Amino acid sequence: MLALRLTRIAQPAVQLRRLLVAAASAGTGFLLLCALAYALSHADPGASILRLAWCLPPLAATIHLAVAVARTDPGTTPRPGLAAIGLGPARLMLVSATTTALSCTLGSMLALLVFLHLRGDLTGMPFDGAAAQFLAAQAPLPLPAALTLLTLVPATASTTVALTLRPKEPRPSGARGAQGRSYGRFGAYGRAVARETFGAYGRFGARRRGAPEKGGVEPGPEPGPESEPPTTPTVTQAATPTGTQAAAATTTPPATPTAAEETAAAPDPVAHLPAPRKPPAGLPWGIAILAGGLAVEAYAARAATGALTLPSALPTGPAGVLAGWLLAALGLALAAPGLTHFCGRLLQSVRPGAVRLLAGRVLMEEATRIGRPLGVVCAVASAAYAMATLSAPAATAAVGPLTTLGAVLVTGCTVATLLTAAVEAKQARADTTAALLRLGAPTTLLRSAAALRAGALLAFFCPLTLIVAELAALPLAR
């Protein structure tokens, strides 16, 4: 019920992102049902399994988009005080997984309705039976198999969201953290100072005026044999002050803080600016996997063993070439965060101004969040460019509807994931933006920095994508 209420009262932008997840789930579910129909109308199990395997890229793109949308959902973001009413990190994680499952289930049901309508099982055969060839309209549809395939997207997406957003406890460097700091559930910090012994609060001088304010305890002097007990005034002396003291107490105005004290007590907005993080650790591994994938592809194309039949309008070649393409795409996706961090460092080189410094710092801070979906987009773009280069014009004109749907799904999901990651990065640096505006930074400065970041990423990753695509298409072009 809580997930349904959060879904109903969400903002229009959040609802649009959830509808994108539902649309992607509907497209993937329709491809899975088409693979089932192909298996019903053809007796070749190998070709049926291969057709089902080609549904994995759209499935992976849909799950990637669902995870990105769940991370940017403001309704499931942990806030102070929610744990007191039973909405802790674990409960919010379950709400995110349930919301993702609802969106994907809506798309799967829509895919089933469209599939049944095109088969003619609902209101007759539409479009004069044009879809009867690849939907196996003449064979009865096994409903348990269809429902099993349709539950694949909601179950996988919700499980991935739950694993991604699960509460993580920070690991201290030693048995206990620095300064004797202990950790509780979901990363709750314990006492930052040494634990006080029994009776320390009531010890003489433990809470006298001038004691430290940050939780520290400054114990008073221990009573020894030579120390005399402090003399305390009697009730009569405390109740009858002298007239001079009373007049001084009534006529002395309260001390006003000086300008220096007010400046020191005011919060410093510069302290909210994020420090640049360390470079992501996946750059060497990504470059190594990318080079290994290109090498495997070149060796497989020279050996020319084990031809693999690809969908229509795609080049047909050895199976090792496809494995090399997959390795190259994986390496590019792993190396993208480190390359994004390198772009931010390049922007800050050679005496940067305010715009370049701000753009570079933000790129270095958001390298992992932006770099991963950007690397996936570059991998998809390089694969599309290589296939378009190798395909013949006659084969390109004969592109089937299922191939087009799969390509649109993968491309649209990767681009939507990148845009969603950009929204998440904007939400993450909202405090930094507010601090800059309090400092008096104009809005044109922030817009110029955003445009500079986008231009730097395009100038760096577009040539890289073309180079990887040319190298990937080179072995099959011979």
Side-chain angles (χ1 to χ4, degrees):
M1 292 300 296
L2 180 59
L4 291 176
R5 290 179 180 178
L6 292 177
T7 303
R8 183 175 57 86
I9 65 175
Q11 298 178 357
V14 179
Q15 299 285 13
L16 178 61
R17 292 194 290 266
R18 291 172 180 170
L19 287 178
L20 288 178
V21 174
S25 177
T28 306
F30 185 80
L31 289 179
L32 291 173
L33 291 177
C34 290
L36 176 61
Y38 183 87
L40 292 176
S41 59
H42 296 76
D44 188 5
S48 301
I49 294 177
L50 183 61
R51 183 67 65 95
L52 185 62
W54 279 110
C55 298
L56 292 180
L59 177 62
T62 302
I63 294 174
H64 195 199
L65 176 61
V67 172
V69 170
R71 290 172 62 94
T72 57
D73 194 349
T76 57
T77 303
R79 296 184 182 89
L82 290 181
I85 59 175
L87 294 178
R91 181 71 180 277
L92 292 178
M93 177 266 295
L94 293 178
V95 171
S96 299
T98 306
T99 305
T100 304
L102 289 175
S103 301
C104 294
T105 302
L106 176 63
S108 298
M109 293 298 102
L110 180 61
L112 180 60
L113 290 177
V114 173
F115 182 78
L116 294 178
H117 175 68
L118 293 179
R119 278 174 51 92
D121 296 338
L122 298 180
T123 57
M125 186 68 65
F127 305 113
D128 298 331
Q133 181 180 359
F134 60 90
L135 294 184
Q138 70 280 358
L141 181 66
L143 190 58
L147 294 180
T148 301
L149 290 177
L150 289 177
T151 56
L152 182 62
V153 180
T156 310
S158 59
T159 304
T160 307
V161 168
L163 292 177
T164 304
L165 302 181
R166 70 186 186 276
K168 301 180 182 64
E169 295 186 4
R171 298 179 179 178
S173 57
R176 296 172 69 93
Q179 300 178 0
R181 184 174 296 168
S182 60
Y183 295 87
R185 296 186 61 187
F186 306 127
Y189 286 105
R191 294 179 175 87
V193 295
R195 185 174 298 178
E196 298 178 357
T197 59
F198 178 75
Y201 189 90
R203 190 177 298 133
F204 174 75
R207 290 296 183 270
R208 68 179 185 273
R209 182 176 300 176
E213 298 178 359
K214 295 184 178 181
V217 177
E218 184 178 350
E222 295 290 342
E226 299 179 359
S227 61
E228 298 180 1
T231 59
T232 56
T234 61
V235 179
T236 307
Q237 293 175 351
T240 58
T242 60
T244 306
Q245 294 175 348
T250 55
T251 58
T252 303
T256 58
T258 60
E261 294 177 351
E262 292 180 352
T263 306
D268 188 8
V270 184
H272 296 279
L273 297 178
R277 297 180 179 178
K278 295 182 180 180
L283 181 59
W285 288 101
I287 294 177
I289 294 176
L290 175 61
L294 295 177
V296 168
E297 181 185 353
Y299 178 79
R302 180 173 298 182
T305 57
L308 180 64
T309 303
L310 301 181
S312 60
L314 299 182
T316 301
V321 174
L322 179 60
W325 280 2
L326 293 179
L327 287 178
L330 178 62
L332 188 57
L334 289 178
L339 296 177
T340 305
H341 190 276
F342 179 68
C343 287
R345 188 172 293 276
L346 284 181
L347 283 178
Q348 302 177 74
S349 59
V350 193
R351 303 179 63 181
V355 179
R356 288 173 53 196
L357 184 61
L358 180 60
R361 287 286 293 272
V362 171
L363 274 184
M364 293 174 66
E365 176 72 17
E366 305 294 340
T368 304
R369 185 178 284 111
I370 296 294
R372 288 176 180 174
L374 181 60
V376 175
V377 170
C378 292
V380 172
S382 62
Y385 181 83
M387 291 180 180
T389 303
L390 295 174
S391 299
T396 305
V399 177
L402 298 182
T403 304
T404 304
L405 177 60
V408 169
L409 268 178
V410 173
T411 305
C413 287
T414 52
V415 174
T417 304
L418 179 59
L419 297 178
T420 306
V423 173
E424 181 186 0
K426 183 179 179 181
Q427 294 175 357
R429 62 173 183 269
D431 296 338
T432 303
T433 304
L436 291 174
L437 293 178
R438 286 197 304 267
L439 283 172
T443 56
T444 55
L445 175 66
L446 303 179
R447 295 173 183 173
S448 301
L452 184 59
R453 291 195 303 270
L457 292 178
L458 288 176
F460 187 87
F461 280 94
C462 285
L464 178 63
T465 303
L466 293 178
I467 292 174
V468 173
E470 290 291 343
L471 292 177
L474 185 61
L476 292 180
R478 297 175 182 178

